[in-house]
């Protein structure tokens, strides 16, 4: 019997059809009216399909949408921090009727991904949604920009999906569903698992935090996002090379697992931290490392707002609990990695490490010091930046 935390809501609810049924579903989809999805909507469909967004089995209806925006909970009382929606224009909405089946097509690749059975269509307040989710309606915020550019009508309904948009073939064994990771963790005999969310190559402070998580839990789950990022972020293929070389040389691979997932970043800071915890619970994780400015962008969130938001939920609402860690850095006097909480020395002795700073140095052709990032990682990143 599994010792892992149960999925959010009690059970996984994947809607990805078995491989034997996908060709027939695709053929059926090609006979249906089409709704084209943005890259974010497609990534949400993939997450619903694999069961990562359990207990969701489709795009939200009006009641769940409004409940999430107003209370950060679904209508059944389960914690949920942000809307998972499909939007269309008013002109499109006029042609869509309750009970219709729609073929959902990824707009960027023209790939048929799933079939939606419509159970609701409704207007919504984009500004209110942005303030609830992103804590701002500033159009310069990457997530706000996405919401403000989407259709004015949301379409709710149940999904079946039949595509993984090439992620499974592209990433091979690194691509895994919640059912698969739970099986891996069970086979290892783990009861507690610390998840590490990342969209950057791991520098020394990331490595330090991962090892802290691994010390307090049976296992470590490094879970990089490989969906669409914002301009300037390092591509998934390059980051994967960096993760591989770190795992090989600096982690005990018996106690660490790495898999990737296809979600698109929203840069929603605190709201996204809660989402990250909920779907890591579905993957089998009891804990998630939440550090400084988790899932943030720009200066929209305070340094530890993504940690503080967990305290607004009642005990037991989210079973994947945060491991709240302060900013890590290299201290010349300590002669090693330390944190704001434990190091007594002044800023003049600290080498602050951040993904933003690392990218800026590499883009300028500067070679960061080895106490900033491992030399094997820097070699991969320098090769990438020199080829740009």
């Amino acid at each position: 019997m599994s010792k892992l935390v149960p999925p959010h809501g009690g059970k996984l609810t994947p809607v990805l059809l078995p491989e034997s049924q996908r060709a027939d579903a695709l053929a059926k989809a090609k006979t249906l009216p089409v709704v084209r999805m943005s890259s974010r909507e497609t990534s949400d469909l993939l997450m619903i399909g694999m069961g990562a967004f359990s207990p969701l089995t489709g795009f939200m209806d009006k009641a769940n949408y409004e409940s999430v925006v107003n209370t950060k909970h679904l209508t059944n009382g389960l914690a949920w921090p942000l809307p998972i929606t499909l939007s269309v224009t008013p002109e499109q909405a006029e042609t869509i009727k309750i009970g219709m089946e729609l073929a959902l097509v990824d707009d960027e690749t023209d790939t048929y991904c799933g079939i939606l059975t419509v159970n609701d269509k409704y207007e919504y307040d984009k500004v209110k949604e942005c303030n609830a989710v992103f804590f701002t309606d500033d159009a310069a915020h990457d997530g706000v920009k996405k919401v403000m550019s989407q259709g004015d009508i949301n379409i709710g309904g149940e999904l079946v999906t039949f595509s993984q948009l090439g992620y499974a073939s592209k990433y091979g064994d690194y691509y895994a569903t919640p059912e698969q990771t739970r099986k891996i963790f069970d086979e290892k005999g783990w009861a507690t698992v610390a998840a590490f969310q990342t969209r950057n190559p791991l520098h020394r402070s990331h490595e330090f935090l991962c090892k802290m998580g691994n010390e307090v839990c049976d296992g470590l789950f490094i879970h990089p996002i490989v969906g669409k990022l914002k301009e300037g972020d390092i591509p998934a293929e390059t980051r994967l090379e960096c993760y591989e070389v770190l795992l090989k040389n600096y982690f005990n691979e018996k106690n660490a697992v790495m898999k990737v997932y296809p979600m698109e970043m929203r840069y929603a800071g605190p709201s996204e931290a809660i989402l990250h915890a909920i779907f890591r619970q579905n993957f089998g994780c009891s804990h998630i490392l939440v550090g400084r400015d988790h899932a943030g962008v720009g200066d929209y969130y305070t340094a530890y707002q993504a940690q503080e938001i967990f305290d607004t939920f009642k005990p037991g609402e989210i079973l994947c609990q945060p491991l709240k860690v302060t900013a890590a850095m290299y201290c010349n006097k300590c002669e090693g990695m330390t944190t704001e909480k434990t190091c007594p020395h002044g800023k003049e002795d600290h080498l602050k490490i951040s993904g933003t700073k690392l990218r800026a140095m590499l883009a300028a052709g500067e070679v960061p010091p080895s106490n900033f990032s491992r030399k094997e990682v820097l070699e991969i990143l320098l090769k990438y930046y020199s080829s740009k």
Side-chain angles (χ1 to χ4, degrees):
M1 188 172 178
S2 178
K3 297 180 284 186
L4 300 170
V5 292
H8 194 51
K11 65 176 183 177
L12 294 175
T13 57
V15 296
L16 177 65
L17 291 172
E19 206 156 339
S20 61
Q21 298 176 25
R22 293 177 195 172
D24 287 345
L26 172 60
K28 177 182 176 179
K30 289 184 175 179
T31 70
L32 298 174
V34 166
V35 168
R36 299 184 73 84
M37 299 179 293
S38 70
S39 56
R40 196 210 69 212
E41 291 166 339
T42 299
S43 82
D44 287 348
L45 174 143
L46 296 175
M47 294 291 279
I48 294 167
M50 65 160 58
F53 279 176
S54 299
L56 301 189
T57 53
F59 289 107
M60 289 179 179
D61 59 18
K62 183 177 183 180
N64 275 295
Y65 170 84
E66 291 184 345
S67 182
V68 166
V69 168
N70 292 326
T71 72
K72 292 199 180 296
H73 290 77
L74 299 168
T75 55
N76 63 8
L78 280 176
W80 199 274
L82 49 81
I84 305 297
T85 57
L86 174 70
S87 66
V88 296
T89 66
E91 293 75 21
Q92 284 177 294
E94 283 293 320
T95 68
I96 294 171
K97 308 300 179 189
I98 304 302
M100 279 182 68
E101 290 185 313
L102 301 172
L104 302 186
V105 175
D106 176 55
D107 193 51
E108 293 189 355
T109 63
D110 289 325
T111 303
Y112 281 75
C113 295
I115 295 171
L116 180 80
T117 302
V118 179
N119 64 20
D120 205 358
K121 61 177 180 178
Y122 55 97
E123 296 179 358
Y124 65 106
D125 186 333
K126 293 181 182 181
V127 173
K128 182 178 181 180
E129 177 181 330
C130 288
N131 282 311
V133 172
F134 304 108
F135 301 91
T136 180
D137 58 8
D138 183 355
H141 184 291
D142 292 271
V144 171
K145 199 181 303 178
K146 275 266 183 181
V147 172
M148 297 307 292
S149 66
Q150 65 193 29
D152 294 333
I153 308 293
N154 282 341
I155 303 296
E158 296 293 301
L159 277 171
V160 292
T161 71
F162 45 78
S163 171
Q164 296 179 93
L165 208 69
Y167 282 101
S169 53
K170 181 176 182 180
Y171 292 101
D173 289 342
Y174 283 127
Y175 190 77
T177 68
E179 288 176 335
Q180 291 169 328
T181 58
R182 283 176 167 272
K183 184 178 179 183
I184 292 167
F185 301 159
D186 281 335
E187 287 172 351
K188 289 179 172 288
W190 294 350
T192 56
V193 185
F196 185 73
Q197 152 73 28
T198 181
R199 72 175 194 265
N200 291 308
L202 300 192
H203 48 65
R204 291 289 292 273
S205 65
H206 291 144
E207 180 188 331
F208 183 67
L209 298 180
C210 283
K211 288 177 177 176
M212 287 172 62
N214 210 167
E215 285 292 341
V216 300
C217 292
D218 297 332
L220 171 69
F221 183 41
I222 299 176
H223 204 203
I225 191 166
V226 293
K228 191 172 184 178
L229 302 173
K230 62 183 175 61
E231 189 175 343
D233 283 348
I234 294 169
E237 296 79 5
T238 302
R239 290 187 285 118
L240 201 61
E241 282 188 72
C242 297
Y243 304 142
E244 286 175 324
V245 78
L246 264 181
L247 277 168
K248 180 181 177 182
N249 293 293
Y250 299 102
F251 285 86
N252 182 344
E253 292 189 86
K254 290 180 182 177
N255 299 319
V257 169
M258 183 180 74
K259 301 295 177 185
V260 301
Y261 72 103
M263 199 177 85
E264 179 173 320
M265 283 289 292
R266 283 170 163 82
Y267 305 96
S271 298
E272 197 150 1
I274 297 297
L275 184 67
H276 286 165
I278 286 172
F279 73 71
R280 276 2 179 292
Q281 180 182 327
N282 287 330
F283 277 93
C285 300
S286 58
H287 295 81
I288 182 169
L289 288 149
V290 182
R292 187 182 181 280
D293 197 29
H294 184 102
V297 65
D299 298 317
Y300 293 100
Y301 312 109
T302 58
Y304 296 106
Q305 194 174 346
Q307 295 181 358
E308 294 158 3
I309 194 173
F310 282 87
D311 299 329
T312 67
F313 291 86
K314 295 175 185 175
E317 285 197 88
I318 303 167
L319 297 180
C320 180
Q321 284 293 290
L323 292 173
K324 299 177 180 180
V325 288
T326 53
M329 63 271 182
Y330 187 91
C331 175
N332 292 317
K333 280 193 175 175
C334 290
E335 296 183 341
M337 296 300 302
T338 185
T339 71
E340 291 176 345
K341 187 175 182 178
T342 57
C343 181
H345 304 121
K347 292 181 180 178
E348 67 278 5
D349 297 309
H350 294 160
L351 177 65
K352 288 275 188 175
I353 300 172
S354 74
T356 304
K357 186 174 180 180
L358 179 62
R359 289 192 298 271
M361 292 179 75
L362 292 165
E366 298 176 36
V367 180
S370 60
N371 52 5
F372 195 109
S373 188
R374 297 289 188 181
K375 63 181 179 61
E376 295 92 339
V377 172
L378 292 175
E379 287 168 2
I380 293 166
L381 294 176
L382 283 167
K383 182 180 176 183
Y384 163 72
Y385 275 97
S386 66
S387 69
K388 287 184 69 176

